[in-house]
Amino acid sequence: MKTYKAVPRKTMLTSALLAALAAPAWAQDAPGTNEPVDPTTLDAVQVTGIRGSLTSSMNLKRDSQGVVDGIVAEDIGKFPDTNLAESLQRISGVSIDRTSSGEGSKVTVRGIGPDYNLVLLNGRQMPASNLGNGGGGLSGSRSFDFANLASESISAVEVYKTSRADNPAGGIGATINIKTLRPLESEPVISLGLKAVNDSSNDNLPRTLRGSNVTGELSGIFSQRYADDRFGVTFSASHQERDSGFNQATVAEGWATFKGDESADWRALPLPGQGYSDRITNRPGPDDVYARPQNTAYNVNGVQRQRTNAQATFQWKPADNVTTTLDYTYVENKVQQQRSELSVWFNYGPGDSIWTNGPVSAPIIYSEDMTNSDVSMGGAKLATKTDMHSLGFNVDWEVNDALDLSFDVHNAESESRPDSPYGSAGVLGVAAFVRGTTTVDYSGDLPIINIALPPGGVQASDALVTGSVFQNSYNKSKVQQYQGRGTFRFADYSALDFGVGHTQVENRSASAIMQRNSWGGLGSPADYADDIWYADNMGKYFKAFSGHNDPRLTGQFLVFDFDRLIDRAAQVGTDSDPACPSCYYAPTEYSEDIRTTEKSKSAYLQYRTTLDWSMPLHVAVGARYEQTEVESNALVRVPTGISWSSANEFNIDYAADRGFVGGKGKYDYVLPNVDLKLDLAETLALRGSYSRTLGRPSWTQIQSGQSLADIVRTQGGSGTRGNPGLEPLISDNFDLSLEWYYGEASYASVGFFRKNIKNFISDTIVRENAGTLHTPVGGAYWNEALASGCGTTDMPCIRDYIFTNHAGDPGVTYTGRNSAGQMTGTIVGQPNDPVAGFDITVPANQHSDHLDGWEVAVQHLFGQSGFGVAANYTKVKSGLTFNNLSLGDQYPMIGLSDSANVVAFYDKNAWQIRAAYNWRDKFLNGIGGQGPNPNYTAAYGQLDLNISYAVSEQLTLSLEAINLTDETMRTYSRHTNMLRYATQTGPRYMFGVRYKF
């Protein structure tokens, strides 16, 4: 064991406390262990490659305080996976969320979702900016998007599953520390890497949505030492381009859910003996829960991404006991996406249907009668850009043999914004009003849409532009952080860690929408040249799903030139709806704007010692004090009315004036920790840990004010309201594990963990009347139309009656007829009409529960054969689950799932081969889609392969294959037939060349 110079404890403790209080507060690295060790330098002889990486990762786990797992680079500039999230999923208890195009993006640890895992870069909190789903709306997420970071400059990633006093607060699942290269701590290197990338999903798109079949990636590292190793510099950079695609079948608007005996809601199925009940087979029973779809669609999406990373690090040792580090990190991630779709909308009207048995009953076959309804073939064009800058300065000072001090200051910001004149998301509606009876078979993995169409199907001569939505979303996060920490070592192998810190996080989320509500049709088909469109068929783009070639599938749709069609739509108008060129660009003035500042102060003490018993016991006991102040200001729009602009579209009108409203919150907590490690034998260790951690609410949860969704349906609308006074989640965490290190780079471990979580934040949906917002639904004009013979779900009939009999009356503006002969115009709710109801989502601290689980891991090298295997399995269980039979508010844990990994590899001489299979069980990924409905992601497994060959000590060739077996992803609601999203991507292949000078 290491010995230390004896210093009187009283003198040392007094000096420590004075230093902690007097010094400005900064810190560089994530918290150390009993003896902080860089896992890449644990062995006298550094071993690279897969074997070396696994050995270093095992040493990190074995020598750490608490439960820590990690991944160490196989060589400088060579991380196991190009994507950091996909590397992290190899760790037990870590699973990932993927983007629609199949790339790893965010991580869940031990069932705790991305918002409650804290991500650090070299021990510093990182800003996280995201735009809303599809580039639109407000984003309240705190989760870090790992797709923004290239892996070439990463030396290691550490996952702290148990918290310690010297860990920054904010991670309930884990604290994840990403470590980059340091020139004075690594061997000098100059290397250059090139990759050619082929994403097979790019070939599975209409021709106008495809990118390049082969794209490139360039990376380089320069790291050198000078002046007798007292000065070092590292420069690293990478640029990656990737063209890909994804295709989806969706029920994007969700499922209207009812009890089997529901009779008051007009959207419900008729009760036995009423209406068209004779056309319903196996109708849900009175005690069952069932749901009807709002829409169903197929869409195809082309995606292009350009990612640039750069980092510069300077280190200087002015004295043997002082090291200064200045580092700068830059990230730019640009994404463009274009979509074409074929969709059908339902009106909850009469039709034939067949249902599954209860207690959750879902449609097998669902049909509604239609006449000259719309075949929707809209498109979208998205373009976003994220920039991140991080600048940090650090001083490490070994004052003497007993005292170390570290000071760190960090300033970083991340900004996500539109990268197109169309904004962050531009949606252009297109339709042909030729749809008859529409039927969908939901029994398979792919829903089969069948549409009764006129002879020849959908023709270009039938198509015209309808409504449009152009969004401008913005998110900026800024972090200013000061940390100071130190360690006093006593002569009896004990140490006292101490530190103080201050962190200020500023977050701004804003959005604006330009919407043209011409959903009944803009002009006539004659206003648009036929060569703007070309015909295609959806079936051929879903070959990974059974049913893609079903003869019932109506796949014919029209693809169009987005830019050309926008130019034409801007010129089309009528006397009542004049041409509007400005309607097809995103607005520059925000209508929603949330600005939140979060200031946190912290201080900690932690005592570490080793009791030199027959079986040595390593002990760490500490506490962290955390105080946080929250201030939020939000721009609030004033709604003035509801306009009925087309059969399925009701829109909120707003006053021109708006202003900011504010709110404040404050909380403080003491977060204790105890870590014990008993060395039962040289190769056998028993660990036990207790810690208390906190997880902060999302930015939209602590916003001030209330916002309403612009589009309202016949049943009402939706909105959100925040609460700056929310308390954070508090989790008491217990861990017990047994670890056996039985050979070189070989070990087995089993661990149990439990998290008792309180202050759980859940979204309660409250039905409220929004002041004086009157809706035409159920009003005098509406009821008069029903009395004349129109059905309650026959929207075109009701609108035509009102326009025929009340054009020019208060609230009724008639503008003509669309190509289907339906009357067009707006109907505005009047003072005597019903007040619209809104489902307002309100967050609240209102639940407590627990989560527990088991982790089993094994890593084994088969002697000197070069072969090895690493496998792990995580089983989690919690009361925080969703009850599919309940229609009320619930408080589930998002992301809770079992997971498993198996990695088989060969690493010998010039060859390195790794096959990795990752599996994640079904999990709840969110709530929504017409009320408090669950959205489950089905179990998913993926096989990846990596092969590299060292031609010489300088030159290495590599081949990677991602999603080798072409797996698909599926999301559904209370029943597997209640599809939300079925997504097909495809395998991705990369050929690389790496040269070390």
Side-chain angles (χ1 to χ4, degrees), residues 703-724:
Q703 75 173 76
S704 296
Q706 176 174 290
S707 61
L708 301 177
D710 291 310
I711 295 178
V712 182
R713 302 299 180 192
T714 53
Q715 68 273 17
S718 62
T720 59
R721 181 169 64 241
N723 177 10

Side-chain angles (χ1 to χ4, degrees), residues 4-51:
Y4 306 107
K5 179 180 178 181
V7 178
R9 294 191 187 186
K10 183 176 180 181
T11 303
M12 293 184 67
L13 182 59
T14 302
S15 301
L17 294 175
L18 288 173
L21 295 173
W26 324 340
Q28 156 84 7
D29 291 320
T33 64
N34 284 356
E35 280 303 315
V37 179
D38 185 339
T40 61
T41 59
L42 284 167
D43 302 313
V45 178
Q46 182 158 336
V47 181
T48 60
I50 299 174
R51 187 187 187 104

Side-chain angles (χ1 to χ4, degrees), residues 496-510:
L496 179 70
D497 303 319
F498 60 90
V500 294
H502 178 273
T503 302
Q504 178 171 305
V505 182
E506 299 175 18
N507 188 83
R508 183 186 182 192
S509 295

Side-chain angles (χ1 to χ4, degrees), residues 845-965:
N845 298 109
Q846 54 188 349
H847 196 58
S848 299
D849 215 312
H850 72 277
L851 178 155
D852 54 44
W854 291 87
E855 291 180 346
V856 179
V858 62
Q859 180 174 297
H860 183 77
L861 269 62
F862 295 93
Q864 300 302 313
S865 67
F867 288 98
V869 64
N872 60 69
Y873 175 74
T874 302
K875 176 75 174 178
V876 294
K877 182 180 179 181
S878 175
L880 300 166
T881 56
F882 194 95
N883 179 5
N884 290 330
L885 299 180
S886 173
L887 302 187
D889 293 329
Q890 300 189 53
Y891 318 106
M893 174 67 74
I894 306 299
L896 192 69
S897 68
D898 301 341
S899 61
N901 299 276
V902 178
V903 178
F905 63 88
Y906 176 81
D907 182 1
K908 191 170 185 179
N909 300 323
W911 287 96
Q912 292 183 33
I913 304 172
R914 180 179 64 247
Y917 180 77
N918 172 262
W919 172 84
R920 184 178 185 182
D921 203 0
K922 180 187 84 171
F923 67 95
L924 181 71
N925 71 22
I927 296 176
Q930 297 211 41
N933 286 318
N935 295 312
Y936 298 106
T937 295
Y940 178 83
Q942 179 172 302
L943 177 65
D944 302 331
L945 180 67
N946 186 304
I947 302 173
S948 66
Y949 177 75
V951 178
S952 65
E953 290 186 3
Q954 290 77 35
L955 179 63
T956 302
L957 306 179
S958 65
L959 178 65
E960 299 173 66
I962 308 298
N963 189 17
L964 190 59
T965 54

